Amino acid sequence: MFLSTVAGGAIAFASAAGAQAQEASTSAGTTATAPNGPVSLGTAAPIVPDSQFEEALPPLDPALGAPLEPIETFDVTDPPVTAPGGALVPDPAVADPALTEPLAPISTFDVQTPPAGAEAPEDAPGPVEPVRYTLEIAGLDEIELVDEFRGLSALEDSDGEATNGSQVQQRADEDELLAVRLLRSQGYYDATATATVEQLAEPGRLRVVLTAVPGQRYNFGQIRIDGPETQPPGIAREALPLKSGAPIVAIDVEAAEANVRLRLPQQGYPFPEIGLRDILLDPDTRLGGYVLPVQPGPRSSFAGFTTEGDLAFDAKHVGVLARFERGELYDQRKVDDLREAMIATGLFTTVSAEPVRTNEPAPDGTEYVNILVRQDAGPARSISGSAGYSTGEGFRTEATWEHRNFFPPEGAIRATAIAGTQEQTLRFQFRRANAGQRDRTVLLQLEAGRRDYEAFRGYTARLYGLISRESTPIWQKKWTYAYGAELIATNESRIGEPDLSIGDAFLLAGVTGQIGYDASNSLLDPTRGFRLLGRINPETSLRDPSQPYVRNFIEGSVYYPASDNLTIAARTRIGSIYGAELEELAPSRRIYAGGGGSVRGFGFQELGPKDVLANPDFDPEDPDKEPATILVPRGGRSVVEFALEARYRFGNFGIVPFIDAGQVYNSQFPSMSDLRFGVGVGGRFYTNFGPIRADIAMPIGRREGESKVAVYVSIGQAF
C-alpha cells in the first residue's frame, strides 16, 4: 500500500498492488496467459481468415432494403374489442357528463394561500414526535479513543434525539467514517466500522450500535530524509522525532514535520522547503517506510537591516534592539526576539521582521540575508487610570497622560496625578527606553506631594535620576543593575507631634546602587530556582550639621517544585542603616515593615516599635469618640523579614497558605528577637501574563493598635 497525505487527521493510502497492475497494463510488451502458454496481444496471427468468416455469414433479407410505406397509409384506429366467443364489446358509456365538458380557463382559479388556522381541525397537522435513540460503542475502548470519538460524533452531539429514523441513519453513516478516520490516524489502516440501527420495543425508541474493528497497527519502518545535506550533517533528521518501530500516528507525524520547519531556521537555514511525505505500507510486515523531501535552502548569516512603512524610529535604532551582529549564523529565534522587542515599545499597530536573500556570499561560505522590518506606527499618546484600596493605605486613584515617543527614539514624557486618603502627588517623568543599548533605561523624575501615613505626615519634593537594566516579560535577565542619584526636600512631622517649620525641613542628597541575580524560571510566576538582590543607598544632609549614613538591604527568595502542582517558596529580607541615630533620620527615611510586600497580617508601616503619643483628634468634651492617646510607628534602623508559602495550582486557579514573620529594631543590626508572625491564605487566578493574587492574613498574638485582618490584591506572586 502507498500512503501519501495526511487529511482530516488520518493518513490516506492506496493499494500498491493496484498501482502495479495499472503500471503493467500500460507497459510495452504486455502479455496474457493462454491455455497453451503466454501469447503476445499485439503480434498473434488471426485464428479465422476474413474471407472464410464472410462466407460463413447468412444472407440478409432483401426486404430490409425496400423503401418504407407513407405514414398516411397506416390505420391508427384502435381495433374493436371482442368478448370470448367473438361478440363485439361496445364502448363504455361516459359515467359523468362533466368529463366531456371543456376545461375552465386557468385564470378563473383562486390560487391564494388560505390563512393559518383556516383548515378544518381534522385536516390540521398533528405534532411530530421526535425519535429518541441510545448509542453504544464497541472496539474503541481498548485503544482509548472512546472519549475522542464521542467528542466528534454526530450521534453524540445531538443528545440522543432526531426528527426521524432517516436522520439517525445518516448520522450513523457519518460516525462510521469518523471511527475509521480516528483509527487510521492512530496507525490502524486496516480498520473497519459498522453502525446498525435497531428498533426497540418502545415506539419511537432506537438503539445505534457502532462496532469498530481496528485490525493490526502499522509501525514505522525505515525513516529517511530525502534532499541535500545540511552543515553540520543531519540537522533535519535530528529535528524529526520519529523512531523506527513506533506506531504511525498522524498527529506525531505532523508535529515532527513542524519541528523540522522550526529547527532549520534556528540553525542557519531561513528558507527551507518541506515536501510532501511518502509512506509505503507493507501489509505483510505491518511496517511503513517514511520518506520526507527536504530542501534546506542556502546556509545564511545576518547582514544588516532595512525598514519601511510608517516609521516610529529608523533602522539604526532597530539595530539597538537586535541581539545579533553582522556575520553571525542566522537564527530565527533572534529575529522573533527583535519583533517582540519592537512590539513591547508600544509604538506600533503592526510590525513584522523577515529575512530577505541578498545573493551576497559571506567569508565563511554562507549567504548574507537582510532583515526587512515593516513598521506601522500607532498613536503614541495615551491616557490611563487606576483605582484601588488596601487596608493599610486606604483608597488610592492614579491618572496618567503619556507620549511614548516625544523625543524619538522611545523618549517618553509622562505626567501623573495621585489622589488618595494618605497620598496626594504630582509627578513628571522623562524616560528613554533602550537608550543606546537593549533594555537599558534612563529615567529623570520630578515629583512633589503630601503624605499622611500612620508614622508621619509631611510635604516632600524629590528630583530623581536612574539608569537601569531590568528584566522584562520578553527577556528575563540573569543579571540586573541600577544606579542613580536623588535630591530630597521634605518637611515632615510624626503623628501627634507639632508640625515642623520650613527651618526644620530636611534637605538630603543620596546615590543608589543595586545589583540582582535571577536564576528562577519565570518573572511573575516562578516555580524553581532562586533570586538575590542587594541595594546600597548612601545619603547625607545638605544642611548643618551634615550627617552621612548608608541604607543597606539584602533580600533573596528560593522556589522548590515539590510536585507538578505544588511549589514551596521562601523569602528573606535584611536591612540596616549605618552611621546615624534614629532621631537624626527624617521619618520617611527610616525603615518600616508590614503590608503586602513585607509581612502580611500587619498593615502598612504597622510592624515594629511604637510610641504612645497624644491623639490630635481627641475631644475632651466627647472622650468616648476618640482615645486620648494613639500608638504611632516609630520606624527603626534595621529590619528582618521571612515568608514561607505553599503554592498549589489546579488548572487556572490556585490556593496559597502562607506564614510570614519579621520585626523592626532600633539597633543598627537586627537582633532576631521579638519576631512577630502573620498567617493567612491566598487565592490565585492564572492568566497568560501572570497570576492575579488576593491574600487575606491576620497577625498571631495581635497587640493593641494592630489590624485584625489585612487584605492584599495585586498582579504576580507575593515574591
Side-chain angles (χ1 to χ4, degrees):
M1 299 179 182
F2 181 72
L3 180 150
S4 60
T5 60
V6 176
I11 302 180
F13 64 95
S15 170
Q20 294 170 359
Q22 181 180 2
E23 180 181 356
S25 66
T26 59
S27 301
T30 302
T31 61
T33 302
N36 295 328
V39 178
S40 173
L41 299 180
T43 59
I47 299 174
V48 179
D50 291 343
S51 58
Q52 183 180 351
F53 178 76
E54 293 175 356
E55 292 177 358
L57 291 176
L60 297 177
D61 187 354
L64 295 176
L68 296 177
E69 297 181 8
I71 194 170
E72 293 83 359
T73 62
F74 283 88
D75 185 6
V76 294
T77 58
D78 294 333
V81 180
T82 59
L88 292 174
V89 177
D91 294 335
V94 177
D96 188 354
L99 295 176
T100 61
E101 296 178 358
L103 296 176
I106 194 170
S107 58
T108 62
F109 284 87
D110 184 6
V111 293
Q112 294 183 358
T113 303
E119 65 274 3
E122 59 273 11
D123 296 333
V128 178
E129 294 294 333
V131 174
R132 301 188 179 276
Y133 60 87
T134 58
L135 174 62
E136 298 179 6
I137 303 171
L140 296 180
D141 50 350
E142 296 180 358
I143 52 179
E144 299 180 353
L145 284 178
V146 174
D147 292 340
E148 185 175 358
F149 174 83
R150 289 188 179 276
L152 301 172
S153 167
L155 289 166
E156 192 76 20
D157 184 58
S158 302
D159 298 327
E161 185 174 304
T163 304
N164 49 47
S166 177
Q167 192 177 58
V168 175
Q169 183 63 57
Q170 184 180 9
R171 294 173 184 170
D173 294 341
E174 293 178 7
D175 281 1
E176 285 183 357
L177 300 176
L178 171 64
V180 172
R181 287 199 304 270
L182 289 177
L183 288 166
R184 289 184 176 179
S185 72
Q186 295 296 316
Y188 298 95
Y189 295 107
D190 297 332
T192 60
T194 58
T196 59
V197 181
E198 304 173 359
Q199 176 69 55
L200 299 180
E202 182 180 353
R205 300 285 297 184
L206 303 175
R207 177 173 59 204
V208 183
V209 180
L210 187 137
T211 304
V213 180
Q216 294 188 6
R217 199 174 199 178
Y218 283 78
N219 298 325
F220 283 109
Q222 182 183 10
I223 299 175
R224 190 176 83 249
I225 298 292
D226 188 9
E229 189 54 87
T230 58
Q231 182 184 352
I235 294 178
R237 181 63 188 93
E238 292 175 3
L240 189 74
L242 300 177
K243 297 181 180 180
S244 297
I248 305 176
V249 180
I251 192 171
D252 292 344
V253 172
E254 293 175 341
E257 294 172 359
N259 194 56
V260 175
R261 292 186 179 91
L262 177 68
R263 293 285 298 279
L264 283 172
Q266 293 177 357
Q267 300 186 50
Y269 293 92
F271 309 105
E273 296 182 3
I274 310 300
L276 190 64
R277 77 193 70 82
D278 289 335
I279 301 180
L280 183 63
L281 300 177
D282 188 340
D284 296 329
T285 62
R286 294 297 192 274
L287 294 177
Y290 176 94
V291 179
L292 181 66
V294 176
Q295 293 291 333
R299 191 166 185 257
S300 305
S301 299
F302 288 109
F305 306 92
T306 57
T307 186
E308 62 182 32
D310 184 7
L311 304 186
F313 45 74
D314 57 17
K316 181 180 178 180
H317 192 65
V318 173
V320 171
L321 297 178
R323 299 192 191 280
F324 50 85
E325 301 291 340
R326 179 181 174 87
E328 288 186 23
L329 189 65
Y330 183 88
D331 189 336
Q332 182 64 42
R333 290 169 292 188
K334 295 182 178 180
V335 178
D336 294 339
D337 174 78
L338 171 61
R339 179 180 56 82
E340 291 174 0
M342 296 188 67
I343 293 173
T345 64
L347 298 176
F348 304 98
T349 55
T350 60
V351 63
S352 65
E354 61 186 48
V356 177
R357 293 188 63 176
T358 65
N359 297 316
E360 178 186 354
D364 60 357
T366 60
E367 178 184 318
Y368 279 128
V369 294
N370 270 330
I371 304 302
L372 173 61
V373 177
R374 292 187 174 93
Q375 304 183 31
D376 186 7
R381 299 175 181 83
S382 64
I383 298 177
S384 61
S386 64
Y389 173 82
S390 67
T391 53
E393 298 179 77
F395 288 98
R396 187 177 189 273
T397 61
E398 181 174 329
T400 299
W401 174 90
E402 181 181 28
H403 191 302
R404 291 184 296 277
N405 207 28
F406 191 82
F407 300 102
E410 296 192 74
I413 57 172
R414 175 184 295 181
T416 301
I418 299 173
T421 54
Q422 295 187 355
E423 180 184 4
Q424 302 85 44
T425 300
L426 288 177
R427 180 182 301 144
F428 299 94
Q429 183 184 97
F430 166 78
R431 180 178 184 271
R432 185 178 294 280
N434 301 303
Q437 181 180 320
R438 171 80 175 265
D439 293 328
R440 181 169 63 186
T441 301
V442 175
L443 175 68
L444 185 63
Q445 182 172 295
L446 175 64
E447 62 182 34
R450 176 183 178 275
R451 291 175 293 178
D452 186 2
Y453 295 149
E454 291 291 331
F456 64 89
R457 66 181 57 157
Y459 298 89
T460 300
R462 181 175 181 239
L463 179 62
Y464 180 61
L466 188 71
I467 297 175
S468 63
R469 180 179 184 266
E470 301 291 341
S471 288
T472 65
I474 296 177
W475 187 36
Q476 182 180 353
K477 304 169 185 63
K478 291 287 187 183
W479 291 98
T480 59
Y481 64 80
Y483 58 90
E486 60 183 338
L487 289 173
I488 302 173
T490 178
N491 182 13
E492 300 172 355
S493 65
R494 301 185 62 210
I495 302 299
E497 295 181 347
D499 292 341
L500 295 176
S501 65
I502 296 297
D504 296 325
F506 293 89
L507 183 59
L508 306 173
V511 295
T512 299
Q514 175 179 302
I515 188 169
Y517 181 78
D518 189 348
S520 66
N521 65 335
S522 174
L523 189 63
L524 294 177
D525 186 25
T527 58
R528 64 172 57 87
F530 66 92
R531 296 173 179 170
L532 294 173
L533 179 67
R535 183 168 66 253
I536 184 171
N537 182 203
E539 294 181 352
T540 187
S541 173
L542 298 180
R543 304 183 64 175
D544 292 332
S546 62
Q547 182 62 55
Y549 56 89
V550 181
R551 296 159 52 91
N552 306 283
F553 293 92
I554 297 176
E555 59 184 280
S557 55
V558 62
Y559 312 94
Y560 174 73
S563 68
D564 292 340
N565 298 327
L566 179 63
T567 299
I568 305 299
R571 178 187 72 90
T572 185
R573 177 174 177 259
I574 300 174
S576 72
I577 298 178
Y578 172 80
E581 296 299 327
L582 185 66
E583 290 74 15
E584 297 172 334
L585 298 171
S588 62
R589 308 311 289 171
R590 300 175 185 180
I591 296 177
Y592 301 90
S598 178
V599 181
R600 288 165 290 186
F602 299 87
F604 179 66
Q605 296 184 339
E606 191 175 73
L607 186 61
K610 297 181 176 66
D611 291 332
V612 179
L613 301 176
N615 187 354
D617 297 327
F618 176 70
D619 184 0
E621 298 181 359
D622 189 5
D624 296 332
K625 183 177 180 180
E626 293 285 347
T629 60
I630 55 175
L631 294 174
V632 178
R634 182 190 309 150
R637 291 195 298 159
S638 62
V639 66
V640 62
E641 298 174 356
F642 303 97
L644 181 65
E645 291 187 347
R647 302 171 180 172
Y648 182 76
R649 178 173 179 173
F650 47 95
N652 291 329
F653 300 92
I655 185 170
V656 181
F658 58 86
I659 180 170
D660 291 359
Q663 187 58 279
V664 175
Y665 303 95
N666 288 329
S667 59
Q668 179 178 308
F669 300 104
S671 63
M672 304 295 293
S673 62
D674 192 29
L675 287 177
R676 301 297 310 282
F677 294 87
V679 296
V681 65
R684 302 291 185 269
F685 175 66
Y686 293 89
T687 67
N688 58 354
F689 58 85
I692 298 175
R693 75 176 177 111
D695 293 340
I696 182 170
M698 60 183 296
I700 296 178
R702 176 177 173 269
R703 300 174 183 176
E704 182 182 357
E706 294 178 347
S707 303
K708 295 181 179 180
V709 175
V711 178
Y712 316 95
V713 179
S714 68
I715 296 177
Q717 298 286 4
F719 55 88

